[in-house]
Amino acid sequence: MTDAVRTQGLYKRFGHQTAVGGVDLVVPRGSFTGLVGPNGAGKTTTLSMITGLLRPDGGRIEIDGHDVWADPVSVKARIGVLPEGLRLFERLSGRELLMYGGQLRGIPIDEVGRRADELLRVMDLVEAQDKLVVDYSTGMRKKIGLAAALLHNPGVLFLDEPFEGVDPVSANTLIEVLRRYTASGSTVVFSSHVMDLVERLCDWVSVMNRGLVVAQGPLDDVRRGRTLNEAFLDLVGARGNGEEGLSWLGSPA
Amino acid sequence: MARVAGMTLLFVRLKLSLVRGGLRDDAGKQAGFVFSLAAALLAAVAGFALLSLIRLAPSGVALDLVTVAFAVFAVGWIVVPLTAFGLDETLDPARLAVFPLTTRQLATGMLAASATGAWPVASLAALFGGVVALSHGPGGVLLGVPAVVLQFAFCLTASRLVTTALSGVLRTRRGRDLLAVAAIFVVLLVQLPNLLVNRGLSGDPTRILASAGDVLRWTPPGLAAHAIADGGLIGVAELIVVAMAVVVLAWLWIVALRHALVRPDASTGSGGSVRRSGRVSIGRFLPDGMLGAVVAKELKYAGREPRGRVNWIVALFVTVIVTLSLHGQDGGAGLGSVLGPACLAAVMIGLQAGNSFGIDGGSLWMNAVAFSTPRDVRTDLAGRHLAMAVIGVPLLALVSLFAALVAGDAVWALAAAPIAWGVLGVAMGVGAITSVTAPYTYPARLNAFSGAAPGQGGQAFAASFATMLVTGVLTLPVVLPVLFGLTWWAVLAVPYGVGVAWAGRRIASGIGFARLPELLAAVSRPT
């Protein structure tokens, strides 16, 4: 069986800085994958290149065995994307955004309407469906973004920091939807630096540091008896232990 | 006192390092900075020279001229930072709210920071031209220097007062939308005297100047100008009044600043009314599928996005003004005076198509992840063109009718309207190609005068200029025969325009699809 995602020697540099220096990412089909790494490790750059939003300087990317840059027709129908920063069509309402996205992908309008209504209900956005997206809170934006990414029932879903700035109630909704989605055999890849969450949700972990994958595999293989947080700090080499200097800091005895 | 001086120096250094930081690692921005420095130097020299040359005029006229010039400087200082630059980082007091600064340190520091920079120094240099123009003898020069410095201080404090008082408003989305619409009225106001002069309502420029001079005589800029000319004790008295005006403005500014520091940032509270989209959908009248979806989205954006609205309104305003002033200049006119405004409106509307994807900005990724063939890009462009035609075609018919009525014969509209539609088609076709070859980011914070993200201004200008030039050349085959009397030729304009638009989309779709990631990056630069 082919893997859901497989990259070979993926490479990207911006000016003098190498953002991604030869990443070999593997994501088995049907897995719930966490892509973790410190800020600046290259997670967003990697995800942007895999989803066809950023042109790599080198390397190969395959999704379900199809080359992303050579065969966009097969790939783009199979993937759903929730990019970083979440810039949406601000002047459309939530429902209009879903309708637009669905029609853009060639789904008949009646079917789009039916799916949009269900997604809005599950995401608890029925009340806000006619509000313009520009007036949405962060949590609502992530939910409507996820709804738009799921609308065409993709086989692989890429989410960049889906839980960042989201309140616990909305986060719970997002998690429930994603669990149901992977239970059916679809694949989720999401980036995060909240280790507890990754540990709780994922069965497959890829750890990135300084533009490279430093460890990947089933969750238990990566953490080897430790918590994921400890394993992560070991892998990326925790810098500075917070014990040197700062003699002036703190209340006087 | 020493603390205030040290803090002032710190603010100046902060401003300088912000400028330096903005230029790091970006050749385009560095070139733009050098260009702007050169332009400021040129403006300083030219402004100084022009003001100095006023000395050659009769003394009464010279005094009125300098008075008006000083007043224009003050108005410029108030308006330009609001519209053209928004708030730059040193000037937003909210960013400094957490530091333990006294209002006085803050006030002098921010004043010094806003005097730091090429353009403030250039305007100070130019103002000194007023001393050359008006001073008689050493007394005039002796008073002239403080007069110019006070006038400069007046400009700075007035400018700071207005930006600070409005900074709360400017930080909300609604306030910025409002300002965008207000900017149009500024444009209209600037055009108004021009229009009046053209209409010949008040033909004598020296009379206008004299009355303007009289009105402005007792404003602080007028007083400063008169102080230089009067010299002596009267001059000193006038300068004292200007200095008092500056102190009052500074005091008001400190009050506004204190208020701004403790007031919550209005942009974080979601307050205010929330807009809901009507459930009556435009989509009902549109074909199902991608084309209909794009048209519906574009039409909604034209109504809901202030940047979109501004473009349409400006196009309309300029056309009306040009129509009226053409009429004023030579009374009755031929078909040319109908065709001119109609085609101008068509080009101005069509220019919006020169950066079709810019209005989507960062949200263009949603299209990029869905488009899997060049055909999709072509459908997208077609949808955008169709939406523009839905609004533009009736609007151009109205403009043609208006121009024809002003020119004296409504029948001319029958020739002008089809040609304007044809020109719109050509502009869309050309614009499709510039949209994919030279895309740029529209700034999120709207300003009506420079329409691109920092560093992309030159490119935006070049793209618009190229669209205009190529459109002009391509429309010659339909416009020229009509101007030479072959009026029925106008019938061909519409199919010609449709053809060019089709060809433009066809060429652009291939290029655009191959460049999707670059396109996305170009329209979603940080602003």
Side-chain angles (χ1 to χ4, degrees), chain A residues 93-103 107-130 136 143-153, chain B residues 279 366:
Chain A
S93 71
R95 191 167 198 284
E96 285 169 348
L97 188 78
L98 296 185
M99 297 302 290
Y100 176 72
Q103 284 186 278
I107 307 171
I109 193 161
D110 299 335
E111 179 62 23
V112 180
R114 211 162 23 247
R115 292 187 187 182
D117 286 337
E118 282 183 41
L119 281 166
L120 288 165
R121 206 165 43 245
V122 172
M123 300 286 181
D124 194 23
L125 287 171
V126 177
E127 284 279 297
Q129 61 176 332
D130 293 329
Y136 274 23
K143 287 195 287 187
I144 199 75
L146 180 61
L150 288 172
L151 197 71
H152 59 290
N153 189 25
Chain B
R279 286 308 288 270
M366 232 177 130

Side-chain angles (χ1 to χ4, degrees), chain A residues 55 87 91 96 130 135, chain B residues 173 277 304 365 514 518:
Chain A
R55 196 185 300 281
R87 285 172 290 195
R91 306 276 167 166
E96 285 169 348
D130 293 329
D135 293 323
Chain B
R173 169 174 51 74
S277 71
R304 293 177 193 166
W365 68 265
E518 287 75 20

Side-chain angles (χ1 to χ4, degrees), chain B residues 77-99:
Chain B
W77 264 93
I78 294 170
V79 173
V80 172
L82 278 185
T83 48
F85 306 111
L87 302 158
D88 80 71
E89 291 191 56
T90 22
L91 309 182
D92 190 351
R95 283 178 197 273
L96 301 165
V98 293
F99 294 106

Side-chain angles (χ1 to χ4, degrees), chain A residues 53 55 69 72-73 76 81 83 87-93 95-97 100-101 103-105 108-109 127 129-132 134-135, chain B residues 173 177 274-277 279 288-290 293 297 300-301 304-306 360 362-363 365 367-369 371-373 514 517-518 520 524:
Chain A
L53 294 174
R55 196 185 300 281
W69 291 90
V73 180
K76 288 191 174 179
V81 186
R87 285 172 290 195
L88 300 166
F89 287 99
E90 307 281 328
R91 306 276 167 166
L92 297 181
S93 71
R95 191 167 198 284
E96 285 169 348
L97 188 78
Y100 176 72
Q103 284 186 278
L104 215 54
R105 291 182 176 276
I109 193 161
E127 284 279 297
Q129 61 176 332
D130 293 329
K131 263 198 333 188
L132 299 196
V134 72
D135 293 323
Chain B
R173 169 174 51 74
D177 288 8
V274 163
R275 282 141 324 144
R276 290 182 171 268
S277 71
R279 286 308 288 270
D288 188 8
M290 192 191 277
K297 184 212 91 189
K300 283 167 192 155
Y301 257 65
R304 293 177 193 166
E305 165 70 63
D360 291 351
S363 38
W365 68 265
N367 296 9
V369 293
F371 292 168
S372 47
T373 62
E518 287 75 20
L520 182 63
S524 46

Side-chain angles (χ1 to χ4, degrees), chain B residues 6-17:
Chain B
M7 202 54 77
T8 308
L9 209 66
L10 188 67
F11 271 78
V12 172
R13 286 219 306 271
L14 174 66
K15 173 79 174 265
L16 289 176
S17 27

Side-chain angles (χ1 to χ4, degrees), chain A residues 176-190:
Chain A
E176 286 306 315
V177 173
L178 291 177
R179 279 213 165 118
R180 257 175 73 181
Y181 173 78
T182 44
S184 71
S186 300
T187 313
V188 170
V189 181
F190 79 98

